[in-house]
Amino acid sequence: MKYHTIDIVTLGCSKNLVDSERLMCQLKASGFQVTHDAKNPKGEIAVINTCGFIGDAKEESINMILEFAQAKEEGRLKRLYVMGCLSERYLKELAVEIPQVDKFYGKFNWKELLQDLGKEYNEHLHIERILTTPKHYAYLKISEGCDRTCAYCAIPIITGRHVSRPMEEILEEVRYLVSIGVKEFQVIAQELTYYGVDLYKRQSLPELISRIADIPGVEWIRLHYAYPAHFPVQLFEVMCTRPNVCKYMDIALQHISDKVLARMRRQVTQKETYQLIERFRQEVPGIHLRTTLMVGFPGETEEDFRELKEFVRKVRFDRMGAFAYSEEEGTYSAQQYVDDVPQDVKEKRLDELMAIQEGIAEELSAAKVGKVLKVIIDRVEGDYYVGRSEFDSPDVDPEILIERTNFPHLKIGEFYSVKIIDSDVFDLYGEIES
């Protein structure tokens, strides 16, 4: 039987999304019609790219697989394949538990799917993708895996050791993406700052970003998922001297209590963390810092949590997310510590921390009223054009809304000078500066 249409469903992070986009390109080149995250999937084949990072993500992935497994049982789907992080970690168990799935693939062997469909992987297309994002921005994955040994994290178990992509290959991909209309690049990895250590025996992120910035057509470069210990400070100069490198850094700090940081095996102290943040703001004036924090790690006391709250109040992060500790099997903390913070205490601390940040975010947004920002338009939604400044990453940060009735001829993917006229907790409102 010949199958023509394949639905791809991506769960989890943007790194998974890049894998899905590469697979979609290969499938299309092989003659398939391909859709992504279709609300009403109608393909004969479905491929689910799963996430296995924390409990909630694993649950979402399992539920999605079961939903499609039921569709197969009811005859609405001919074949079902599963790939990605959850599949990498629990491949044998899943195959037993959900036999409706025709085959499970890990995170790195999805090319076998093409062979199982009677097709060959096309090496000539190795840097090409079918973008699922708006055509003016793309995620750029520069490495896989992680060599850090954070106590709570399952990523090294899933992805293995850090493996950097060759610099020339990344630059070739950027040139290709520019040629198809991409202007903005979200540079991503499990851990950005380790880039190059395996290939070039040095931290090479500053050189890589400099070389990407020099490619004509690259308008914005934004950096995601840095690590605070041994941060490559040469990057500060790159951010200051290259106007297309956004003054934005996503750096996961997790905690500030020395006791908790040590138990987390973060290889950084409270003092070093404060010093790094101060240096960011001194050497890159106007930088917007995004971080992620964790509450409820084993052994976290009320005093530790008080330090964390004071940290958030003092630093005033421009963007901040937080989550409650979730014990992941196989990790150091699961083997060495007792998950001794009750779930209701974790949730209470999480709510309290995010309430502090919400007030800070509202104040920082209000401070932008009256300023003129360079804004790219992402989409039209209701009565508004929806855009972002260099300080805003897609899907996770505030957006800038511009009334369509006042400016009816704006173009998606174009840059405009926008004066901010109002703000709320989550968004800014602007008008085109004439």
Side-chain angles (χ1 to χ4, degrees):
M1 183 179 290
K2 190 174 182 180
Y3 302 113
H4 299 285
T5 303
I6 298 180
D7 296 312
I8 309 291
V9 177
T10 304
L11 302 169
C13 67
S14 52
K15 295 178 284 292
N16 269 10
L17 191 67
V18 172
D19 293 338
S20 290
E21 291 175 343
R22 288 184 175 140
L23 174 60
M24 290 168 66
C25 180
Q26 293 284 336
L27 291 170
K28 185 177 180 181
S30 296
F32 292 99
Q33 291 182 321
V34 187
T35 64
H36 184 261
D37 289 341
K39 293 183 179 178
N40 298 298
K42 297 177 181 177
E44 300 95 339
I45 300 173
V47 180
I48 303 175
N49 191 354
T50 58
C51 179
F53 178 42
I54 58 175
D56 289 347
K58 288 191 286 189
E59 183 178 353
E60 181 187 21
S61 292
I62 292 291
N63 289 340
M64 185 65 69
I65 297 169
L66 292 174
E67 183 180 322
F68 276 81
Q70 183 176 347
K72 187 183 176 194
E73 284 191 334
E74 294 172 357
R76 293 181 285 119
L77 185 68
K78 299 299 183 184
R79 293 191 189 178
L80 174 59
Y81 299 104
V82 175
M83 59 184 277
C85 293
L86 185 77
S87 187
E88 176 78 25
R89 193 173 184 193
Y90 302 107
L91 193 143
K92 291 182 180 179
E93 296 91 333
L94 288 169
V96 173
E97 293 294 327
I98 314 178
Q100 298 92 332
V101 175
D102 290 277
K103 189 170 180 179
F104 289 89
Y105 305 85
K107 182 169 175 58
F108 304 108
N109 68 331
W110 55 263
K111 295 176 186 177
E112 291 179 14
L113 172 58
L114 291 162
Q115 296 174 1
D116 292 335
L117 293 172
K119 307 295 181 180
E120 292 295 325
Y121 178 79
N122 190 333
E123 190 63 44
H124 296 298
L125 302 175
H126 73 286
I127 62 167
E128 297 189 20
R129 294 142 58 182
I130 294 177
L131 294 182
T132 59
T133 56
K135 63 181 181 180
H136 54 275
Y137 72 79
Y139 293 96
L140 182 68
K141 183 160 58 170
I142 65 172
S143 65
E144 284 282 10
C146 185
D147 281 5
R148 306 292 186 178
T149 57
C150 301
Y152 52 83
C153 188
I155 286 176
I157 299 172
I158 299 169
T159 63
R161 297 294 300 271
H162 179 101
V163 179
S164 302
R165 293 178 63 197
M167 197 174 298
E168 292 302 330
E169 180 184 290
I170 296 170
L171 297 173
E172 182 186 3
E173 182 175 350
V174 171
R175 294 186 192 99
Y176 158 72
L177 290 169
V178 168
S179 75
I180 63 171
V182 175
K183 303 175 181 180
E184 175 186 358
F185 293 83
Q186 324 296 338
V187 180
I188 58 173
Q190 271 86 17
E191 209 282 72
L192 281 179
T193 61
Y194 211 80
Y195 175 77
V197 172
D198 53 330
L199 283 182
Y200 310 115
K201 311 308 175 188
R202 67 184 188 279
Q203 289 176 293
S204 305
L205 185 65
E207 179 186 349
L208 174 65
I209 299 304
S210 293
R211 294 185 66 183
I212 294 173
D214 289 341
I215 294 175
V218 175
E219 295 271 358
W220 275 352
I221 302 166
R222 195 175 289 105
L223 305 177
H224 283 277
Y225 321 125
Y227 195 91
H230 313 297
F231 187 88
V233 294
Q234 300 90 341
L235 194 61
F236 296 143
E237 182 180 356
V238 177
M239 300 183 85
C240 284
T241 58
R242 296 297 203 283
N244 54 354
V245 179
C246 297
K247 290 182 169 57
Y248 179 104
M249 176 57 69
D250 187 343
I251 181 166
L253 298 174
Q254 306 300 1
H255 218 282
I256 197 61
S257 159
D258 275 327
K259 187 191 80 177
V260 176
L261 288 170
R263 287 173 64 83
M264 286 180 168
R265 303 170 78 187
R266 289 288 288 171
Q267 303 173 319
V268 71
T269 65
Q270 177 178 127
K271 182 179 179 181
E272 290 167 341
T273 301
Y274 274 112
Q275 288 174 338
L276 179 61
I277 292 169
E278 183 179 2
R279 189 164 181 184
F280 262 117
R281 288 174 168 168
Q282 284 180 348
E283 300 204 24
V284 190
I287 192 168
H288 280 47
L289 294 176
R290 176 177 183 83
T291 197
T292 306
L293 301 175
M294 182 191 296
V295 300
F297 188 77
E300 183 190 58
T301 64
E302 285 297 333
E303 175 59 23
D304 297 323
F305 182 57
R306 186 197 64 76
E307 286 186 47
L308 187 62
K309 289 188 291 182
E310 182 61 23
F311 176 57
V312 171
R313 292 190 185 101
K314 188 179 294 185
V315 172
R316 294 174 64 81
F317 290 103
D318 302 276
R319 317 280 184 244
M320 192 196 90
F323 62 101
Y325 171 76
S326 168
E327 183 175 277
E328 295 300 314
E329 61 186 285
T331 60
Y332 182 88
S333 61
Q335 295 169 346
Q336 300 295 324
Y337 305 142
V338 176
D339 186 4
D340 58 356
V341 181
Q343 187 62 32
D344 61 332
V345 174
K346 292 178 184 177
E347 292 172 5
K348 179 176 178 293
R349 289 176 181 175
L350 181 61
D351 290 344
E352 194 173 341
L353 197 67
M354 291 309 299
I356 294 170
Q357 177 61 23
E358 186 173 304
I360 292 168
E362 188 170 14
E363 292 173 8
L364 294 176
S365 290
K368 287 187 169 72
V369 174
K371 294 185 176 181
V372 177
L373 303 176
K374 180 180 177 181
V375 171
I376 194 165
I377 303 299
D378 278 342
R379 66 186 186 278
V380 173
E381 196 170 283
D383 296 330
Y384 293 95
Y385 292 101
V386 182
R388 292 173 293 105
S389 74
E390 70 171 294
F391 310 120
D392 308 306
S393 195
D395 298 327
V396 295
D397 290 332
E399 295 174 316
I400 298 171
L401 309 181
I402 303 164
E403 283 196 36
R404 294 172 63 194
T405 52
N406 296 334
F407 307 96
H409 303 299
L410 303 189
K411 295 181 179 179
I412 305 299
E414 293 296 323
F415 290 95
Y416 296 91
S417 292
V418 175
K419 183 176 182 180
I420 305 304
I421 58 174
D422 199 3
S423 70
D424 59 30
V425 177
F426 304 106
D427 296 305
L428 300 174
Y429 297 84
E431 57 186 21
I432 302 301
E433 184 81 345
S434 55

